[in-house]
Amino acid sequence: MPGQPHGHELVIRPLNGPDELPLFRTLSYTLDHELADDLAGGLRRPEWMWVALRGDRVLARAAWWAPAPGGAPYTLDFFDLDDSLPEPERGETGVRLLETAMARLFPAGSERPEYGRFVPPDWRTDPVARDVVEARMRAVERTGARLLVERLRLEWTPGAAAAAVPGGRLAFRAVRDREDLVSLMTLVAEGTLDAHTRASMESGLTPREVAEEQYDEELVRYRSPDGWWRIAELPDGDPVGFVLPARNNYNAVIAYIGVLPGHRGRGYIDEILAEGTRILAGLDVPRIRASTDVGNVPMARAFERAGYTNFERSVNMVWD
């Protein structure tokens, strides 16, 4: 590769143990502060954390994360390059790192976890940020992945100015059981603008199967009680939608929010989101996080009206 120091071959390997975390942190990313706790809690393992080294210099790194201890790698959420390297060395190093690590972690023909990266909200107009983001995306693409969606990352903090929310049209009740919620999630999947849900259905899953998978593999894993979840109804008991306030491993979140197809376009989303925000705000949390696809303009506008700010974006890439 051009520009490489003489006398040192490129070495690609996983970390030998948690004591090599300082080596891994030679490169930086916004989630670095979570690494030590994730390792201690079993959400990461040293064998899932890889580096590309020339001598003692880290040229690239990658790491996978699981939502619960003992689980399989769920997402590739760290992939960084030494941006002082010239091209094509920077990109080639990243590709070699990913291909070597994935060949070890995932058997041939098995599904590869999604790649996700948090990026600045203005990354497309900031030349430096754009170079960083696109360099990583190009390397991931060269291993066979494609962009699935870009998402807005949103945040509400106490004291945020929110528009007045019309009240009185909806009543809220707790979710009774799994079927109570899954049946509504199945209906919400119809005509959804959510790219992940649409991709799952395009792969052959029915709306019901998508809802069951999300419930069983995501929603029940939250650290918070499902007693926080709310279903919105009209005075006659007709369900309109739902909101799932929750707490993940890191923050209070609006885990899922939806309006049933027959009730969309009537402004109910504002009241439903206000209820979810109210529940979490009542717990004196320092912030509430949420996210929605860039293309889901109605949902993005609802969050904005409720006082949520777009503090970051994320890009999600998948291997077919």
Side-chain angles (χ1 to χ4, degrees):
M1 294 181 188
Q4 66 188 39
H6 296 292
H8 292 294
E9 294 296 324
L10 185 69
V11 174
I12 297 174
R13 65 169 177 84
L15 298 188
N16 291 319
D19 59 322
E20 285 201 309
L21 185 55
L23 174 73
F24 189 80
R25 293 184 64 175
T26 301
L27 299 181
S28 63
Y29 176 52
T30 187
L31 296 181
D32 280 340
H33 65 284
E34 297 176 356
L35 288 168
D37 286 346
D38 285 352
L39 276 167
L43 306 183
R44 298 187 192 275
R45 302 178 191 174
E47 60 267 31
W48 296 353
M49 303 174 70
W50 285 68
V51 289
L53 298 166
R54 195 174 300 285
D56 59 0
R57 178 183 173 188
V58 177
L59 303 186
R61 65 175 185 170
W64 285 260
W65 173 88
Y74 180 78
T75 186
L76 169 63
D77 63 340
F78 273 77
F79 176 50
D80 291 294
L81 307 173
D82 181 342
D83 292 300
S84 70
L85 293 175
E87 294 290 2
E89 183 181 0
R90 178 174 61 164
E92 291 286 352
T93 302
V95 171
R96 288 181 60 185
L97 170 66
L98 289 177
E99 290 182 339
T100 302
M102 290 191 294
R104 179 83 64 86
L105 292 173
F106 311 109
S110 65
E111 184 176 354
R112 296 179 177 183
E114 180 177 297
Y115 167 58
R117 183 176 181 85
F118 298 149
V119 300
D122 60 349
W123 73 272
R124 292 184 182 276
T125 57
D126 181 327
V128 175
R130 184 164 186 161
D131 174 70
V132 168
V133 175
E134 291 186 341
R136 287 142 183 78
M137 293 178 68
R138 285 195 303 268
V140 176
E141 285 174 349
R142 287 177 57 188
T143 69
R146 63 176 175 84
L147 179 66
L148 174 65
V149 68
E150 182 172 336
R151 291 173 62 79
L152 303 175
R153 284 174 47 78
L154 306 153
E155 182 177 84
W156 180 94
T157 54
V165 177
R169 294 192 299 169
L170 300 176
F172 293 91
R173 64 169 176 82
V175 174
R176 297 189 184 101
D177 52 29
R178 179 180 184 275
E179 177 58 30
D180 191 27
L181 181 59
V182 167
S183 62
L184 296 181
M185 292 169 62
T186 301
L187 296 174
V188 164
E190 294 182 25
T192 181
L193 296 176
D194 182 81
H196 284 90
T197 301
R198 285 160 46 197
S200 294
M201 292 190 291
E202 289 167 3
S203 72
L205 295 182
T206 66
R208 173 77 187 196
E209 290 169 336
V210 172
E212 290 178 333
E213 183 178 273
Q214 184 172 8
Y215 186 96
D216 295 332
E217 297 185 9
E218 177 188 345
L219 301 183
V220 298
R221 292 179 174 176
Y222 284 114
R223 298 170 55 189
S224 49
D226 58 14
W228 294 359
W229 302 350
R230 292 291 183 268
I231 291 176
E233 296 178 333
L234 294 174
D236 63 3
D238 184 26
V240 168
F242 55 84
V243 61
L244 309 185
R247 188 188 296 276
N248 63 18
N249 292 311
Y250 312 101
N251 289 290
V253 297
I254 300 295
Y256 194 0
I257 184 169
V259 178
L260 275 60
H263 295 291
R264 289 173 183 159
R266 302 176 186 176
Y268 291 130
I269 187 64
D270 291 330
E271 294 179 54
I272 298 172
L273 178 55
E275 176 68 5
T277 303
R278 181 193 66 79
I279 290 170
L280 293 175
L283 302 171
D284 294 324
V285 297
R287 71 188 65 86
I288 301 170
R289 293 278 173 86
S291 60
T292 192
D293 293 1
V294 168
N296 194 342
V297 175
M299 190 65 72
R301 288 176 175 167
F303 277 110
E304 183 178 2
R305 289 192 298 271
Y308 287 73
T309 59
N310 174 210
F311 74 98
E312 207 168 43
R313 291 192 179 201
S314 65
V315 291
N316 298 89
M317 302 180 70
V318 295
W319 286 264
D320 292 322

